[in-house]
């Protein structure tokens, strides 16, 4: 079992990287040229003071693009995965509190956002999707060295230790 | 990982650090201009009917104080706004002409490009006293979002159709004279926590989402109660 995982791990890592990185990159890309909508999406969670929500609405898209690009390229994988996973955790908390408080909003994850009709909310799907991404991020933090990445495994160190994983 | 241990390591690290630096650099290049453009520009040209203290809205019956104050936040490209205009637009116009309400129109531009062009043109038409006509015409003939239909030449022609025959109007449109104002309206809407279009307030309170947007009777009732 362990040996099987050893062989598969770089490939599983690659899939995790491309999935998490791809989602982050696309999410940022779809919002980057629509700052007004992005700000509105953050405001509508009613979690932050309006001025801070507006600032976050501007900052999030380029940060998502950067984290996504780093993960897709496989550079700074562990740090990017940790930050990506952290943002997903924050999104889960934000969506869950909106759901619990009975707000009717779109998560605005891929553009859009703001108030929607009660029957158009998708809280459960959004939380499950983000949970899956948190899992991928955690996997990458645990095993940051993957196939086709710019990060290179520090070979001599792992060999000296007998490559425990 | 030191050079002594791995002779190739130095080069690898250089590529890696370069990639990281480029990615972070590009993100900053995207972020900084947006942050700077999101400041309210108090020196921007504003139409004469605009009141900065009313959130840069185009205001009708500014002088009236003992009537309901209707504030409408809308985007010329937003289909729900066109629906609201077709339901309540005529009544609102009547309230304006009979001086039974003070009304502020906030032309937001959530939907980008052509919303901004349209908002600028609306401000130009306000200077010619044709805002309400242009407003009605745009919503009645709303094309699909950013389809390329709303260009500056479209608005010049539309002006002629509405009986505007001033070179100032054409120049106002061609020069994007009120684009700074358009951004201020958006910025002010963001500060006032406007999270969907249309958003309609009567005396500062949003009308009922369930009833007052979708039916004229519901909207009239909301005005009555104000």
């Amino acid at each position: 079992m362990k040996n099987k995982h050893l062989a598969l791990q770089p490939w599983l890592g690659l899939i995790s990287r491309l999935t998490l990185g791809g989602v982050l990159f696309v999410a940022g890309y779809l919002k980057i040229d629509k700052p007004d909508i992005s700000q509105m999406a953050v405001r509508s969670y009613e979690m932050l003071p309006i001025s801070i929500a507006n600032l976050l609405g501007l900052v999030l898209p380029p940060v998502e693009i950067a984290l996504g690009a780093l993960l897709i390229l496989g550079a700074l994988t562990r740090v990017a995965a940790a930050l990506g996973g952290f943002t997903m955790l924050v999104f889960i908390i934000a969506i869950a509190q909106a759901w619990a408080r009975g707000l009717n909003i779109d998560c605005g994850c891929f553009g859009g956002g703001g108030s929607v009709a009660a029957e158009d909310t998708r809280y459960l799907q959004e939380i499950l999707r983000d949970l899956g991404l948190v899992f991928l991020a955690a996997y990458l933090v645990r095993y940051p060295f993957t196939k086709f990445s710019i990060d290179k495994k520090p070979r001599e160190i792992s060999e000296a230790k007998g490559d425990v994983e | 990982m030191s050079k002594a241990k791995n002779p190739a390591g130095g080069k690898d690290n250089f590529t890696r650090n370069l990639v990281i630096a480029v990615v972070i650099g590009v993100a900053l290049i995207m972020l900084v201009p947006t942050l700077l453009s999101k400041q309210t520009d108090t020196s921007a040209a504003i139409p004469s009917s605009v009141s900065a203290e009313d959130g840069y809205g185009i205001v009708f019956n500014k002088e009236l104080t003992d009537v309901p104050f209707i504030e409408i936040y809308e985007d010329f490209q937003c289909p729900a706004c066109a629906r609201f205009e077709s339901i309540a637009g005529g009544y609102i116009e009547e309230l304006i002409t009979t001086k039974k309400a003070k009304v502020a129109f906030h032309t937001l531009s959530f939907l980008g490009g052509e919303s901004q062009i349209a908002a600028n043109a609306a401000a130009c038409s306000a200077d010619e006293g044709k805002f309400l006509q242009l407003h009605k015409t745009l919503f009645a003939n709303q094309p699909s979002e950013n389809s390329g239909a709303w260009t500056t030449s479209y608005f010049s022609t539309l002006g002629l159709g509405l009986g505007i025959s001033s070179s100032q109007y054409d120049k106002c449109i061609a020069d994007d004279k009120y684009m700074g104002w358009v951004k201020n309206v958006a910025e002010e809407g963001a500060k006032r926590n406007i999270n969907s279009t249309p958003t309609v307030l009567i005396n500062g309170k949003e009308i009922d989402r369930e009833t007052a947007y979708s039916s004229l009777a519901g909207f009239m009732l909301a005005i009555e109660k104000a």
Side-chain angles (χ1 to χ4, degrees):
Chain A
M1 187 61 201
K2 194 137 206 185
N3 278 340
K4 232 178 204 166
H5 180 242
L6 178 65
L8 277 177
Q9 180 271 320
W11 294 99
L12 289 175
L14 174 67
I15 294 169
S16 305
R17 245 177 58 213
L18 293 180
T19 310
L20 178 63
V23 169
L24 278 166
F25 188 87
V26 170
Y29 180 79
L30 290 174
K31 289 182 290 209
I32 191 81
D33 61 338
K34 300 181 181 69
D36 290 353
I37 294 183
S38 176
Q39 290 182 309
M40 174 192 74
V42 179
R43 283 199 305 274
S44 58
Y45 283 92
E46 297 180 17
M47 271 180 97
L48 297 167
I50 290 169
S51 57
I52 295 177
N54 283 333
L55 180 66
L56 188 61
L58 298 180
V59 171
L60 259 182
V63 168
E64 286 176 325
I65 288 182
L67 291 178
L70 288 174
L71 284 167
I72 291 168
L73 295 167
L76 212 65
T77 307
R78 180 173 257 166
V79 174
L83 290 173
F86 174 73
T87 36
M88 291 304 158
L89 273 178
V90 173
F91 291 158
I92 291 172
I93 294 168
I95 296 168
Q97 66 89 30
W99 194 4
R101 287 164 66 195
L103 306 180
N104 293 320
I105 59 171
D106 178 280
C107 81
C109 308
F110 302 95
S115 309
V116 296
E119 66 269 24
D120 289 336
T121 56
R122 303 266 178 280
Y123 296 123
L124 186 61
Q125 293 97 309
E126 289 161 0
I127 289 176
L128 289 177
R129 180 195 59 214
D130 289 354
L131 268 181
L133 293 172
V134 168
F135 176 79
L136 296 183
Y139 185 76
L140 285 169
V141 171
R142 178 70 183 82
Y143 306 105
F145 298 107
T146 59
K147 273 280 164 203
F148 308 123
S149 65
I150 291 175
D151 287 336
K152 293 288 172 252
K153 194 169 189 170
R155 189 165 295 278
E156 64 283 68
I157 295 171
S158 48
E159 272 169 6
K161 283 187 186 167
D163 203 355
V164 271
E165 293 309 329
Chain B
M1 173 168 53
S2 76
K3 247 185 176 159
K5 273 182 171 174
N6 182 3
K11 201 178 165 210
D12 273 3
N13 264 343
F14 177 74
T15 321
R16 177 170 174 264
N17 293 341
L18 185 69
V19 167
I20 294 166
V22 167
V23 169
I24 293 172
V26 169
L28 283 176
I29 289 169
M30 291 187 288
L31 178 60
V32 173
T34 336
L35 285 179
L36 293 179
S37 76
K38 282 286 165 192
Q39 309 292 332
T40 302
D41 176 8
T42 46
S43 65
I46 58 175
S48 54
S49 51
V50 159
S51 147
E53 56 272 24
D54 285 328
Y56 288 96
I58 293 180
V59 185
F60 290 86
N61 297 338
K62 208 182 289 190
E63 68 288 356
L64 300 183
T65 50
D66 51 350
V67 294
F69 180 29
I70 308 174
E71 292 172 274
I72 302 168
Y73 292 85
E74 57 192 353
D75 185 318
F76 281 115
Q77 290 199 88
C78 127
C81 303
R83 220 169 301 133
F84 176 73
E85 158 70 22
S86 75
I87 290 167
Y91 179 60
I92 292 170
E93 221 181 304
E94 195 187 306
L95 290 174
I96 291 172
T97 48
T98 56
K99 303 224 173 268
K100 289 200 174 120
K102 174 182 169 186
V103 181
F105 292 92
H106 302 263
T107 54
L108 299 179
S109 38
F110 279 115
L111 301 171
E114 292 181 41
S115 294
Q116 293 181 323
I117 298 176
N120 177 65
C124 299
S125 75
D127 280 347
E128 310 290 333
K130 295 280 185 189
F131 173 82
L132 289 175
Q133 289 86 329
L134 183 107
H135 182 264
K136 188 162 50 177
T137 311
L138 287 187
F139 277 126
N141 301 286
Q142 188 181 55
S144 58
E145 196 181 316
N146 290 318
S147 58
W150 283 355
T151 59
T152 51
S153 66
Y154 173 90
F155 284 103
S156 294
T157 318
L158 186 64
L160 285 177
L162 296 174
I164 302 172
S165 54
S166 98
S167 58
Q168 252 178 332
Y169 172 80
D170 288 335
K171 197 165 174 313
C172 174
I173 292 199
D175 295 350
D176 286 340
K177 180 175 174 188
Y178 292 126
M179 227 26 130
W181 167 80
V182 170
K183 295 202 173 95
N184 285 353
V185 176
E187 186 53 23
E188 203 59 37
K191 280 186 191 153
R192 293 180 176 202
N193 204 19
I194 303 302
N195 291 340
S196 65
T197 50
T199 292
V200 180
L201 314 178
I202 297 177
N203 295 335
K205 229 179 130 249
E206 194 187 352
I207 59 175
D208 187 54
R209 281 242 155 243
E210 303 296 320
T211 58
Y213 284 95
S214 49
S215 105
L216 181 56
F219 181 73
M220 285 172 157
L221 197 65
I223 300 269
E224 282 302 308
K225 281 197 272 185

